[in-house]
Amino acid sequence: MKIIRINMKDLTVSEDQSLKYDGLGGRALTSKVIHDEVPPTCHPLGPFNKLVFANGVLTGSGASSADRYSIGAKSPLTGGIKESNAGGISGLKLGKLGISSLIFEGVRDDFKIIHISKESITFDDATPILGKELSEAADWLRDRYGKHIAVWLIGVAGEQKMNLAAIAGQDKEGLPTRFNGRGGLGAVAGSKGIKAIVLDDAGVEKNKPKDREKFREAMKTYHKWLMETPGTAKVFPELGTAGLVKTTNALGALPTRNFSTGSFELYENITGEKLRETILERGGEGNPTHACMPGCIIRCSNVYVNKAGKLVTSPLEYENIGLLGSNLGIGDLDAIAELNRLCNEYGVDTIETGAAIGVLMSQGVLSFGDVEGALNAVKEIKAGSPLGRIIGGGAEIVGKLYGAYRVPTVKGQSMPAYDPRAIKGLGVTYATSPMGADHTAGQTIRAQIDHHSAEGQVKASKDAQETVTIFDSLGMCYFSGGAIQGRFDLIADLISAYIGQKVTAEYLKETALETLKLEHQFNRRAGFTKAHDRLPEYFYTEMNEASKTVFDVPQEELELIGVEGNGR
């Protein structure tokens, strides 16, 4: 597998011949490159930042739920290091082309389509798809380059270099709806003139493991674990991530009206059960069980349709429902789906968008529950109007411009759909992760602890942050973690058979710890201090009435994470 460097300023391509990054994948690779090659104090949209696409070590291997990839850069939203990962087929296609990573350097003012095939890498004018919605742009690319391709592309928000701009990949049906959403990485792509990357694997054979027999044996056991675990065999396939709505509402953690409380009186209208029932009743193109990656056993995605059975959006996830639904006082799946569709078409992070509009509503610019107002606010992003630019700056910018006190952000990034006063381990993750407020950086909702108590939350978060870094580096979906249950010896055997080099579980854990250490070091050198490792003030002082709690994990405990590596 090759590492390819592309300088967008002069459109030159070179292969990285060093062995410096040998053996690293996904988040371990993106964070290592950013730490080693990007000045921590540089401007995120300037010439010294780099944008790194990196396949996980197992991406393309054929193992279930293991075709994920990471994108990393210095974030324009947080000002710190950022990694965001996603599924779909784009990473799979990159791997088939024999490429493990793309490192983009330099900036330019115009936009290009980068076409990557087994013969060459070329640059085409992107003018025909500028300003278009993502589904139209993806169709244009497939018409021009072939239905077999996969793409990465940015929307109008990325073209305008907005802080909430995302990078979209494709699912196995070709829809550009698998997003590297967090941290404004779409703006970094926009600064480098990257409108789209076309991955053309015509004439390329599928990847094969070095030791087929051992790989087959290890994969058989891994897949057996997935099918024996209730979460991966039944709950996720039936309800998807939206199955969490009932759980978080019961815990008092479902963000409601700009995180003012943690339960929503209309929650029954937006549960995973209601979502499944609606999709099945409407039929047509709908599907409550959908895999974004070929061969994925978990199938946690879905295809949401209108009353006529026609596609609206795919997928409708828990985070979308929480931030674009209850957080805005909206209890209607059709309204949430339309908001989600617009976010997808414009190429923006649904979490950051929902949080930004929630702050606007808290300031009386819009009213909670105002569906038309929310839809029009999202449409302002495409228009690039003053309000659209304000929303495009993210929730923290909205809060500053409107004089808001209650702004649910950490290190400039908005919280996902869990109130940290009710799930305190996630509050620790929000405060201490180098990524800013991000549940995927250390999810604790399934930890066997009292989520309302301060006790044990730092350990739960620390363990979760270390574990998820392993998954992010391997290209594995974290949802498989419930089946793996920390049994990384088998995963190490799977990797060893695939790449033909001996890998141990201990090596995987050490790599994760080193990755976290590098990420914290980058942020410290970028100007972050212990003062940034905390939640907004009001979470400590204002009670969440649904859970009857405040966030009370001692700050001195939080500061143990991130001082050296991850506190170990």
Side-chain angles (χ1 to χ4, degrees), residues 340-523:
N340 188 72
R341 184 190 73 82
L342 290 177
C343 288
N344 287 352
E345 293 289 13
Y346 303 158
V348 298
D349 177 13
T350 52
I351 296 174
E352 196 67 44
T353 303
I357 295 174
V359 176
L360 281 176
M361 287 180 169
S362 75
Q363 296 306 108
V365 180
L366 301 171
S367 299
F368 286 111
D370 181 359
V371 174
E372 282 303 311
L375 288 168
N376 289 333
V378 175
K379 290 174 183 177
E380 295 293 329
I381 295 173
K382 181 180 181 181
S385 66
L387 179 59
R389 287 280 186 177
I390 291 169
I391 296 170
E396 187 150 301
I397 293 292
V398 172
K400 288 179 178 178
L401 291 176
Y402 283 89
Y405 173 64
R406 297 169 185 84
V407 182
T409 61
V410 180
K411 298 181 179 73
Q413 181 166 272
S414 66
M415 295 177 183
Y418 310 86
D419 191 302
R421 293 167 291 190
I423 304 178
K424 294 181 180 179
L426 272 172
V428 177
T429 297
Y430 294 167
T432 62
S433 168
M435 301 297 161
D438 188 340
H439 66 296
T440 68
Q443 175 63 277
T444 67
I445 192 170
R446 292 177 183 83
Q448 298 303 303
I449 53 177
D450 178 358
H451 295 293
H452 291 174
S453 169
E455 185 176 350
Q457 304 298 342
V458 169
K459 183 181 186 305
S461 174
K462 185 187 298 183
D463 291 345
Q465 290 187 53
E466 293 170 6
T467 299
V468 78
T469 305
I470 296 176
F471 283 88
D472 292 346
S473 300
L474 300 184
M476 298 184 73
C477 177
Y478 185 65
F479 291 161
S480 63
I484 294 171
Q485 296 180 358
R487 296 174 287 186
F488 287 111
D489 286 332
L490 180 80
I491 303 306
D493 290 343
L494 193 67
I495 298 166
S496 299
Y498 180 55
I499 67 175
Q501 298 176 17
K502 180 62 177 175
V503 173
T504 65
E506 189 59 33
Y507 169 78
L508 299 180
K509 295 172 185 176
E510 289 173 356
T511 301
L513 286 172
E514 178 66 15
T515 298
L516 285 163
K517 180 179 180 180
L518 295 179
E519 291 169 351
H520 284 293
Q521 286 179 351
F522 183 95
N523 279 5

